[in-house]
Amino acid sequence: LQIQEKMTSEIALAIEEVLRPQGVGVVIEAEHSCMTLRGVNAPGASLTTSHLSGVMRDDPRTREEFLRLTRT
Protein backbone atom coordinates (compact mmCIF):
# COMPACT_ATOMS: atom_id res chain seq x y z
CA LEU A 1 0.00 0.00 0.00
CA GLN A 2 1.17 3.51 -0.80
CA ILE A 3 -0.11 7.03 -0.32
CA GLN A 4 -0.44 8.49 -3.80
CA GLU A 5 0.94 11.93 -2.87
CA LYS A 6 4.06 10.36 -1.36
CA MET A 7 4.54 8.06 -4.35
CA THR A 8 4.28 11.03 -6.74
CA SER A 9 6.98 12.91 -4.82
CA GLU A 10 9.23 9.84 -4.60
CA ILE A 11 9.06 9.29 -8.37
CA ALA A 12 9.99 12.93 -9.00
CA LEU A 13 12.87 12.73 -6.52
CA ALA A 14 14.22 9.54 -8.13
CA ILE A 15 14.18 11.19 -11.56
CA GLU A 16 15.96 14.26 -10.14
CA GLU A 17 18.65 12.19 -8.41
CA VAL A 18 19.42 9.95 -11.38
CA LEU A 19 19.04 12.28 -14.35
CA ARG A 20 19.71 15.70 -12.76
CA PRO A 21 17.38 17.54 -15.18
CA GLN A 22 16.59 21.26 -15.04
CA GLY A 23 13.08 20.37 -13.91
CA VAL A 24 10.77 17.46 -13.26
CA GLY A 25 7.02 17.10 -13.61
CA VAL A 26 5.11 14.04 -12.46
CA VAL A 27 1.34 13.67 -12.69
CA ILE A 28 -0.43 10.54 -11.50
CA GLU A 29 -4.11 9.73 -11.89
CA ALA A 30 -5.18 6.59 -10.09
CA GLU A 31 -8.37 4.83 -9.09
CA HIS A 32 -8.64 4.31 -5.38
CA SER A 33 -9.87 0.86 -4.42
CA CYS A 34 -10.73 2.10 -0.93
CA MET A 35 -13.34 4.32 -2.60
CA THR A 36 -14.51 1.89 -5.29
CA LEU A 37 -14.61 -1.43 -3.44
CA ARG A 38 -15.56 -0.46 0.08
CA GLY A 39 -16.55 2.56 2.10
CA VAL A 40 -18.52 4.94 -0.09
CA ASN A 41 -18.59 2.38 -2.94
CA ALA A 42 -18.08 4.97 -5.68
CA PRO A 43 -16.98 3.17 -8.87
CA GLY A 44 -14.48 5.13 -10.93
CA ALA A 45 -13.39 7.38 -8.07
CA SER A 46 -9.94 8.66 -8.95
CA LEU A 47 -7.47 11.18 -7.61
CA THR A 48 -4.86 13.16 -9.53
CA THR A 49 -1.65 14.26 -7.81
CA SER A 50 1.31 16.19 -9.16
CA HIS A 51 4.82 17.17 -8.17
CA LEU A 52 6.76 19.88 -10.00
CA SER A 53 10.33 21.05 -9.39
CA GLY A 54 12.95 23.25 -11.01
CA VAL A 55 11.86 25.00 -14.20
CA MET A 56 8.65 22.97 -14.25
CA ARG A 57 7.64 24.75 -11.06
CA ASP A 58 9.42 28.10 -11.40
CA ASP A 59 8.83 29.03 -15.06
CA PRO A 60 5.13 29.85 -15.55
CA ARG A 61 5.18 29.12 -19.30
CA THR A 62 6.89 25.74 -18.86
CA ARG A 63 4.57 24.81 -16.00
CA GLU A 64 1.44 25.77 -17.99
CA GLU A 65 2.60 23.86 -21.07
CA PHE A 66 3.36 20.73 -19.03
CA LEU A 67 0.06 20.81 -17.15
CA ARG A 68 -1.89 21.49 -20.35
CA LEU A 69 -0.28 18.50 -22.05
CA THR A 70 -1.07 16.22 -19.10
CA ARG A 71 -4.78 17.15 -19.13
CA THR A 72 -5.44 15.52 -22.51
Side-chain angles (χ1 to χ4, degrees):
L1 298 175
Q2 175 71 282
I3 296 173
Q4 185 172 332
E5 294 85 353
K6 184 176 179 188
M7 180 178 68
T8 306
S9 295
E10 289 174 347
I11 291 169
L13 181 60
I15 292 170
E16 287 175 341
E17 289 177 350
V18 173
L19 300 177
R20 304 237 183 251
Q22 292 183 2
V24 173
V26 175
V27 175
I28 296 177
E29 180 180 1
E31 185 174 291
H32 285 245
S33 59
C34 63
M35 295 285 288
T36 60
L37 300 175
R38 57 191 176 97
V40 296
N41 197 15
S46 67
L47 176 69
T48 302
T49 56
S50 65
H51 182 94
L52 304 174
S53 66
V55 295
M56 291 295 211
R57 182 191 65 218
D58 300 334
D59 182 345
R61 291 185 340 192
T62 304
R63 180 178 58 245
E64 177 55 37
E65 180 180 1
F66 174 76
L67 293 173
R68 184 173 25 85
L69 290 170
T70 61
R71 286 186 205 121
T72 58

